[in-house]
Amino acid sequence: MDNAIIVRDITKVFRIGHNRQIVALDNVSFEVKEGEFFGLLGPNGAGKTTLTKIISTLLIPDSGEVLVNGYSIYKEPMKVRQSIGWMQGETGGRALYWRLSGYDNLKYFATLQGVNSKVAEIRIKTFLKFLDLDKDAYRLVKDYSTGMKIKLLLIRALLHNPSILILDEPTVGLDVASAIKIREFLRELNEELNKTILFTSHNMTEVEQLCDRIAIINKGKIIFVGSARQMKEKVEKVKVVSLKVRMNGKTENELVSSLMKMNSVEKILSKRNDEGIYEFRIAVRDPYETIPELVTKLKDWKIEAIERSLPTLEEAFIRILGGDYIE
Amino acid sequence: MSNTENLLDAFRYGRGLEKQSLKLKIHRVFGVVWAQMKILLNYKMQFFLEVIDIILNVLIYYFIGFLVSGDELAKLGYRTSYQAFALVGIALSRYIWTSISRISRRMQREISIGTFESILVTNTSIDLWIIGQALFGFLWSSLWFVGTLVSGILIGIPIIITVYNLPQIIFIVLFSVLVHASIGILFAAIAILYKQIETVLFVFSTTIEFLGGVVYPIAILRKYQPLYYLSLMIPFTHSLELMRKVMISGINIWDPAASINLIALSLFLPLVWLSFKVLNYYYEEARKLGEISSY
Ligand SMILES: Nc1ncnc2c1ncn2[C@@H]1O[C@H](COP(=O)(O)OP(=O)(O)O)[C@@H](O)[C@H]1O
Ligand SMILES: [Mg+2]
């Protein structure tokens, strides 16, 4: 068997109140190979957490199938749970008992995982030491920093030596040093211990650094699956100019149509009105060609600022999606 | 040795998993009990308040006891002081009530702090976890239960505990715990989806106080037939009657006067099965609705 995780046509709709619903996942399919470091990249609300929880048997999808180590999430959820270690970083280290020490938290979960207590002790001590938590092991978790809590969550996911790790934004909200340490640890787990890792993040650089393959998810749909290199090439093609103007008696529509007439403008990515100053973010073919063109053609408006800018993740997605102009 | 070799070392025992045996299940259940105990002991203030609460309760009913004459109780078939009557009622109702409410409050707490998901993603089933929670709740409260009875005896309240009836008392307690733990599990199941569980708990506690005969004999309710029959439909009524008959009147549980309550109590045994069914049903529903963590 060479696929650790197979996700087939997963759809999940949340009902909110009586008649509102959110399509959190829309026909999602992909697979993660054994030993792969797989990144799931997407902005907030894209459906990453929903997807990782479905794979981890915490949520039941409306339709579709997931196989983990060959076990179906419907038919053999216990086998799936034995195969995986799951953690969620987003909640900033909740999901721990703050009135227990770090050590006791881990000991408790090792028992729940059915790990032999002598083996558990060796593992807990080794991991605590490896992540520089050994000196704080017997302090109550309520006195831990976010970084320390996240480390604890990671160790907890490893206690039963699962072959697959499902890590939902493990570095979110961490200071730079802690994030680096955690990334190193994950790389080690993948390379030295051959753990399959499904890793979610909304940080493009991080995913690019760590992952063999990447899926990009946006509004519940997978819009790209490929190598980090393939993603980078696509993203690097996206060039953005940010333009801040005052209307000077003209209308917004007039400005949009002037912009669209310009040769080098590919797509208006977003616009925002901040007390009379409009900010347009524009995807362009060549910023060095666009900027002078904007300056000459927008004489009737008052330009406050104009600059080349790096694409945000969402903007890169819009381009990768390959859609037409928004307006 | 490099750090990485250390890491590899951590896994040299393979998966290190115990076989799925009964022993392992028991080990997990007691793992839950151990963790809850440690958590509670680390909340020093709460621990302290629980002790004060018990002492105050015993004192209040001790003094109220002076207001009620033994003759009145005797007319209703209890040949004893009101203090003894109330002590057993208070001790048992508090015991059952605190244990039951602890399970569903714990459920909501674990959902809201997010640990519930972390537990369910382990290969411990929700059944074992809830058994551990119920066991902890009843074990912990039984300290207060015993403490209340002992302090009652120490201040001279006449309740009967002998080598002869002690096994009977223990049997009644265990039987009552079994039936009431399943009610606790039922409430905890409801608490997964229904966030206003405190309302349910409140209704439950007033019901047992009012209809279960905690501070007055249910015989008084004979004057209001529907209420009387309603009170017979509550398992707690029978637990308490049994307890009083054995501890106050000195009757044996196999005497017809007591065994009638024992039979009535066993009619509630299917609740044990039902509570796990309902628990698993609500758990499935919550996994469909995405409600096992507070979003
Ligand atoms: N339990 C839930 N109930 C209702 N809506 C939910 C629930 N979980 C997630 N959602 C919604 O589903 C969408 C995807 O959320 P999520 O999977 O958390 O995204 P991400 O992790 O990528 O930020 C969001 O719009 C979110 O509001
Ligand atoms: Mg998320």
Side-chain angles (χ1 to χ4, degrees), chain A residues 12 53 57 59-60 81-82 94-95 97 99 104 112 114 116 123 126-127 130 156 161 188 192-193, chain B residues 4 7-8 10-11 14-16 18 38 42-43 110 112-113 117-118 120 123-124 283 287-288 290:
Chain A
K12 181 77 198 171
K53 283 190 183 175
T57 76
L59 268 179
I60 301 175
R81 289 170 197 170
Q82 274 171 29
R94 279 161 82 242
Y97 297 96
R99 292 283 174 160
D104 281 346
L112 293 179
N116 172 294
R123 284 185 191 160
T126 312
F127 287 130
F130 192 82
R156 185 171 75 184
N161 193 9
E188 206 115 24
E192 307 298 330
L193 301 178
Chain B
T4 313
L7 266 190
L8 290 168
F11 289 129
R15 311 230 17 211
E18 305 263 9
K38 275 213 142 171
N42 282 332
Y43 279 102
E110 303 248 0
S112 74
I113 62 177
E117 284 185 328
S118 320
L120 295 172
N123 58 23
T124 290
Y283 170 48
R287 284 166 68 214
K288 284 181 194 149

Side-chain angles (χ1 to χ4, degrees), chain B residues 92-94 96-98 100 180 202-216 218 234-237 240:
Chain B
L92 191 68
S93 73
R94 297 221 101 214
I96 299 286
W97 151 248
T98 50
I100 284 184
H180 289 96
F202 176 76
V203 170
F204 175 79
S205 82
T206 17
T207 307
I208 62 171
E209 292 269 337
F210 185 58
L211 292 176
V214 176
V215 288
Y216 52 79
I218 53 157
I234 300 169
F236 180 77
T237 308
L240 184 52

